[in-house]
Amino acid sequence: MKSDIEIAQSVELKPITEVVEKVGITFDDIELYGKYKAKLSFDKIKSVQENKPGKLVLVTAINPTPAGEGKSTMSIGLADALNKIGKKTMLALREPSLGPVMGIKGGAAGGGYAQVLPMEDINLHFTGDMHAITTANNALSAIIDNHLHQGNELGIDQRRIIWKRVVDLNDRALRHVTVGLGSPVNGIPREDGFDITVASEIMAILCLATDIKDLKERLANIVVAYRYDRTPVYVRDLKVEGALTLILKDAIKPNLVQTIYGTPAFVHGGPFANIAHGCNSVLATTTALHLADYTITEAGFGADLGAEKFFDIKTPNLPTTPDAVVIVATIRALKMHGGVAKADLGEENVEAVRAGFANLKRHVENVRKFGVPAVVAINEFVADTEAEIAALKELCAEIDVPVELASVWANGADGGVDLANAVVNAVENGNANYKRLYSDDQSLEEKVTKIVTEIYGGNKVIFGKKAKNQLKQFAQFGWDKLPVCMAKTQYSFSDNPTLLGAPEGFDITIREFVPKTGAGFIVALTGDVMTMPGLPKKPAALNMDVAEDGTAIGLF
């Protein structure tokens, strides 16, 4: 069996200029990054804004397990299958982060015969967006420390600087650092730390900005620190929003690539869904909607994180609302949610499928709370048995949700035709009536409580001492009108990663809030969610190499 990279390298890529012609993009509309990658010009983005937006389909999943679900693979395969049945379709996906690529999670270019190409470039440096975001973030850190060194005109309390440096790697040694050591010429000593680049607020801003002007305004609204009198210090106080925007002027343009089957795909932006909003850029999704009849996009991790944030944070910034949601699951993952150990997943266990279905059922119910019809996509594995599949179909019928098996990993577009037809049926006959879970006027406390009780199935929310103080402080600053972005483990509906399935009656503790006023949301920190991951004992990097001709080896 070929690996993902071997399959990708066996495909004869078409010039990107040829791929994008089918959605009305010409050579003059793009900025080439070699033969197979390009960025779309702002002139083209503006010229299609008056087009009526097409149908929007969000792909999400059950809570992830070590068994794997394959959300990106399913998104790509579904887009290819929709094109196969005659629907002009585009993809809008996130860019991978080098940290997970070199660590354990892997890339974000799909797998098997459902991949975006060139997968080596996409999973590595791509068009340089991650580097631009890293540079802009760290330029701001340098400006802050220089401001302290040069007299601290703004009266910044160096103990209350909340802006961190970033690097696009998993490096636990950088979580807590001290800067400014050595002598007075090296600056003011203070505690600092590093996040992974995709956790930077600048990444979230890039993915929510609608144009250069909006990007600059959002950057100006970033809170970086507090003064001695506890009032916030913004980027606009430092007067560097223009410089930061300049660094990001190319990164904000959406990237164009292709699938194995030649479907045009935007791959742009990559915020994590357990610590940020987990969706690709508004610019990419919006432009795809104006160019295609169907746009397939995805949101990170399970529907309790990525999909909720897509509905409550991203959708209000789009020209249309979702017409259908695809919830991806595997028989293997359902069995894990039903209590089966990973080593035993190859054995038939119908009762475990039935038990694990509780997780999928809750996600379906949650999607319906947003007024959008759901379709269940089962990512097919060879070890799935007829009895297990029959049991799952029976359970889906009981809650009246369409379910289709898809073998896009093994069979590409052909393996997703039944799913594509089910999605079209849901879009055309589903009567989507989108609504947010909460209103802006509700307090932060009410918003968090609604997410915990209605989406997670929890009992109540416990606000720690610091969080309680922040609720009062943020209300004074007017930040309580912003949406909430929950930072929670992806593995469970609760804040305990070991509680699989569909736990009930649990409490969730909010230990701290983090203002992301540039992005336009408030992060609520639960549990031990890390903003700088570490590497596993045997990282994926150990399997990677490069041939003398420059061909990548061992990249999945």
Side-chain angles (χ1 to χ4, degrees):
M1 184 181 296
K2 289 183 178 179
S3 66
D4 290 347
I5 192 169
E6 288 171 336
I7 292 171
Q9 290 172 345
S10 71
V11 176
E12 185 175 346
L13 288 167
K14 298 175 182 177
I16 193 64
T17 50
E18 179 182 333
V19 171
V20 299
E21 283 177 353
K22 63 188 75 174
V23 289
I25 297 173
T26 69
F27 175 81
D28 291 333
D29 298 325
I30 58 178
E31 299 166 9
L32 289 170
Y33 282 64
K35 294 180 182 178
Y36 311 116
K37 300 170 291 182
K39 282 187 171 289
L40 191 63
S41 70
F42 277 116
D43 286 343
K44 182 63 176 180
I45 292 170
K46 291 175 183 176
S47 72
V48 301
Q49 284 181 352
E50 298 305 314
N51 294 357
K52 182 181 177 181
K55 303 299 185 181
L56 177 60
V57 178
L58 171 66
V59 179
T60 184
I62 62 174
N63 290 97
T65 70
E69 289 69 50
K71 187 168 66 263
S72 295
T73 300
M74 194 63 66
S75 299
I76 296 163
L78 172 59
D80 286 334
L82 283 166
N83 270 320
K84 184 178 178 66
I85 65 171
K87 304 295 183 182
K88 186 168 74 171
T89 304
M90 286 194 76
L91 272 163
L93 303 176
R94 292 175 299 162
E95 300 178 46
S97 165
L98 267 177
V101 167
M102 307 296 278
I104 193 171
K105 181 179 176 289
Y113 288 90
Q115 295 189 59
V116 281
L117 306 175
M119 71 90 86
E120 306 98 307
D121 294 7
I122 294 168
N123 280 313
L124 295 175
H125 303 284
F126 201 19
T127 58
D129 293 348
M130 293 291 181
H131 301 292
I133 293 164
T134 302
T135 302
N137 185 107
N138 294 342
L140 179 52
S141 289
I143 291 290
I144 294 167
D145 281 311
N146 183 62
H147 186 86
L148 295 177
H149 179 71
Q150 302 293 351
N152 195 9
E153 181 183 339
L154 293 172
I156 296 172
D157 185 344
Q158 67 198 57
R159 301 165 302 175
R160 292 187 172 89
I161 294 172
I162 61 174
W163 190 257
K164 291 185 177 181
R165 289 167 162 84
V166 298
V167 62
D168 193 31
L169 294 170
N170 292 2
D171 193 346
R172 61 172 57 85
L174 293 177
R175 288 173 185 160
H176 302 284
V177 301
T178 303
V179 297
L181 298 180
S183 71
V185 298
N186 293 333
I188 306 297
R190 66 177 184 89
E191 291 186 20
D192 197 1
F194 279 76
D195 289 336
I196 190 168
T197 296
V198 285
S200 170
E201 184 176 356
I202 290 180
M203 169 62 82
I205 287 172
L206 187 89
C207 289
L208 289 167
T210 54
D211 54 29
I212 289 283
K213 180 183 177 184
D214 187 37
L215 174 65
K216 187 184 295 186
E217 289 175 354
R218 288 176 179 271
L219 291 168
N221 286 333
I222 294 173
V223 174
V224 297
Y226 297 91
R227 297 177 177 86
Y228 290 109
D229 63 3
R230 304 295 180 89
T231 57
V233 178
Y234 296 88
V235 165
R236 61 175 176 264
D237 297 321
L238 293 164
K239 300 179 173 58
V240 291
E241 62 268 29
L244 301 182
T245 307
L246 180 62
I247 294 171
L248 298 166
K249 70 179 181 64
D250 293 316
I252 193 177
K253 298 172 185 174
N255 306 301
L256 282 161
V257 289
Q258 63 190 287
T259 71
I260 286 176
Y261 287 81
T263 296
F266 284 117
V267 178
H268 191 223
F272 277 1
N274 60 343
I275 49 181
H277 69 293
C279 306
N280 76 299
S281 75
V282 164
L283 264 176
T285 305
T286 297
T287 307
L289 284 165
H290 289 313
L291 290 168
D293 297 329
Y294 276 73
T295 294
I296 307 299
T297 191
E298 48 94 34
F301 295 127
D304 56 319
L305 287 171
E308 183 272 316
K309 295 169 183 179
F310 186 95
F311 287 126
D312 286 325
I313 296 175
K314 180 175 178 178
T315 298
N317 293 283
L318 295 175
T320 188
T321 59
D323 296 282
V325 173
V326 175
I327 304 174
V328 180
T330 63
I331 296 289
R332 289 163 52 84
L334 291 175
K335 287 195 287 189
M336 284 202 82
H337 278 292
V340 175
K342 186 177 180 181
D344 300 325
L345 291 176
E347 300 175 14
E348 181 178 272
N349 193 327
V350 174
E351 288 309 308
V353 173
R354 291 183 177 277
F357 180 74
N359 186 272
L360 174 57
K361 180 182 178 182
R362 185 174 291 174
H363 286 298
V364 172
E365 292 169 346
N366 286 344
V367 164
R368 287 171 171 169
K369 289 177 181 177
F370 292 96
V372 183
V375 176
V376 172
I378 301 302
N379 190 1
E380 193 172 1
F381 278 69
V382 175
D384 299 345
T385 70
E386 291 184 10
E388 290 171 334
I389 294 170
L392 179 55
K393 287 184 174 180
E394 176 190 327
L395 290 164
C396 287
E398 289 177 3
I399 61 170
D400 195 29
V401 63
V403 57
E404 293 291 345
L405 269 70
S407 57
V408 296
W409 188 94
N411 300 309
D414 292 337
V417 168
D418 289 344
L419 175 61
N421 284 319
V423 168
V424 170
N425 184 61
V427 167
E428 295 181 351
N429 303 306
N431 299 316
N433 186 24
Y434 160 79
K435 56 188 176 184
R436 290 177 73 192
L437 187 68
Y438 52 76
S439 69
D440 289 337
D441 290 334
Q442 289 179 285
S443 68
L444 288 175
E445 188 174 6
E446 290 172 326
K447 291 168 186 170
V448 172
T449 300
K450 197 151 193 175
I451 293 171
V452 169
T453 57
E454 293 199 23
I455 301 299
Y456 302 163
N459 181 38
K460 67 177 186 294
V461 183
I462 299 170
F463 294 92
K465 182 179 179 181
K466 183 172 184 178
K468 284 182 179 179
N469 291 333
Q470 288 176 314
L471 286 172
K472 298 175 185 176
Q473 183 186 45
F474 288 10
Q476 292 173 352
F477 297 147
W479 300 344
D480 56 327
K481 304 307 179 188
L482 296 174
V484 168
C485 184
M486 298 292 288
K488 178 185 74 69
T489 177
Q490 63 267 33
Y491 300 113
S492 172
F493 278 109
S494 74
D495 56 2
N496 179 352
T498 64
L499 287 182
L500 304 186
E504 295 179 332
F506 57 87
D507 298 336
I508 281 188
T509 299
I510 306 298
R511 55 186 169 89
E512 182 181 354
F513 289 101
V514 181
K516 303 290 184 180
T517 49
F521 53 72
I522 302 296
V523 175
L525 296 177
T526 73
D528 297 318
V529 173
M530 292 286 186
T531 52
M532 169 54 84
L535 290 170
K537 188 171 183 178
K538 293 186 177 180
L542 299 179
N543 302 317
M544 298 176 186
D545 203 347
V546 61
E548 290 185 7
D549 64 355
T551 302
I553 299 170
L555 196 64
F556 322 123

